[in-house]
Amino acid sequence: MASRAEPDDTGGRRDWRDVARDAADLALLGILLTVAAVPLCTAAAAAGTASAAVHDWTRTGSWPSARATVRRFGRSVLPGVPVSLLTLTVAGLLAADLAALATGRVPGGSPALLVTALVAAGLTGYAGLVVVEVGGNGGGRWRAAARSAARACLDAPARWAALTGVTALAGLLAVLVTPVAVPILAGYTVAALHAVAGRPVPGRVAGHGPAPAHPELP
C-alpha cells in the first residue's frame, strides 16, 4: 500500500492518481479483511486490525508496514474471539427475529418489525463506532473501545445516527452489488466509519459539551 504523502510540487493538491491509489489501497484492505475473517472467530481481529490501519492512514498519510499489521492481527486474535462469537450470535438472533416478524410467524406485525429494525440499525451504528475506537487503540482493546463508543453515542446522538446510516448503506450495497465486490466494499466501509466518526458535531462550541467520539481523527 502506498503513502498519501506527496512532494509539495502541486501546491498540496491531489489529482486523480492520488484518488485512484487511495481507492485501490482501500479495496485491497477490504479484501485482506475479508480473507482474515473467513474463520469467523477471527472476524473481530480482522476488523480491528483493518481499523487500526485506517487510523494510521488518516493520521499520517501512510499505511502501517505489513510486519506491523501482521503483528497487530496476531495479538488481536485471542482477545477478539469472544467479540466475534458475541457479534455473530447477536446478529443471528436479530436476523431470525426480523425474518419471523416479516413473515408473520410471530405476533407483533408492522410495529414490532419497525422497532426491531430500528434496534438492529442502532446496534450496527454502535458496532461501527466500536470498530473505529478499537482502531485508535491498536486494534485489540475491545472492552475499552466498547465503553468509549457507548459514551460517545450518548454524548453525540447525531454522530451515532450518521454511523448507523453508514452501516445501513453498506448493508444495502452488499445486497445489491455482485458478491465478488463485497470484500472491496468492506474496506470502503471502514474508511467511511472513520471519516464520519471524526467529523465535528454540529452546534458544539469549542471548549464546551462532550468530547468528540474519536478526537484523534482529523
Side-chain angles (χ1 to χ4, degrees), residues 85-119:
L85 296 178
L86 176 61
T87 302
L88 292 171
T89 300
V90 172
L93 290 174
L94 284 173
D97 195 16
L98 287 170
L101 287 168
T103 56
R105 292 198 301 268
V106 297
S110 298
L113 178 62
L114 177 60
V115 170
T116 305
L118 289 175
V119 170

Side-chain angles (χ1 to χ4, degrees), residues 10-188:
T10 61
R13 294 190 300 270
R14 288 162 52 79
D15 59 20
W16 66 269
R17 289 169 295 183
D18 300 308
V19 176
R21 183 171 59 246
D22 290 346
D25 287 345
L26 290 174
L28 177 59
L29 177 74
I31 293 171
L32 294 175
L33 188 164
T34 303
V35 171
V38 165
L40 296 184
C41 63
T42 60
T49 304
S51 181
V54 172
H55 174 78
D56 291 349
W57 179 64
T58 55
R59 283 179 57 84
T60 68
S62 298
W63 294 98
S65 66
R67 178 177 297 179
T69 300
V70 171
R71 189 183 305 117
R72 276 175 174 168
F73 179 75
R75 290 199 306 260
S76 303
V77 170
L78 288 180
V81 169
V83 179
S84 300
L85 296 178
L86 176 61
T87 302
L88 292 171
T89 300
V90 172
L93 290 174
L94 284 173
D97 195 16
L98 287 170
L101 287 168
T103 56
R105 292 198 301 268
V106 297
S110 298
L113 178 62
L114 177 60
V115 170
T116 305
L118 289 175
V119 170
L123 286 175
T124 59
Y126 167 71
L129 186 53
V130 173
V131 169
V132 173
E133 293 288 345
V134 82
N137 64 38
R141 295 168 55 195
W142 287 97
R143 185 173 299 179
R147 288 196 299 264
S148 178
R151 289 193 300 268
C153 286
L154 295 176
D155 290 342
R159 179 183 283 117
W160 185 8
L163 290 164
T164 299
V166 170
T167 56
L169 178 60
L172 177 62
L173 292 176
V175 173
L176 296 178
V177 301
T178 179
V180 72
V182 172
I184 297 174
L185 178 64
Y188 294 139

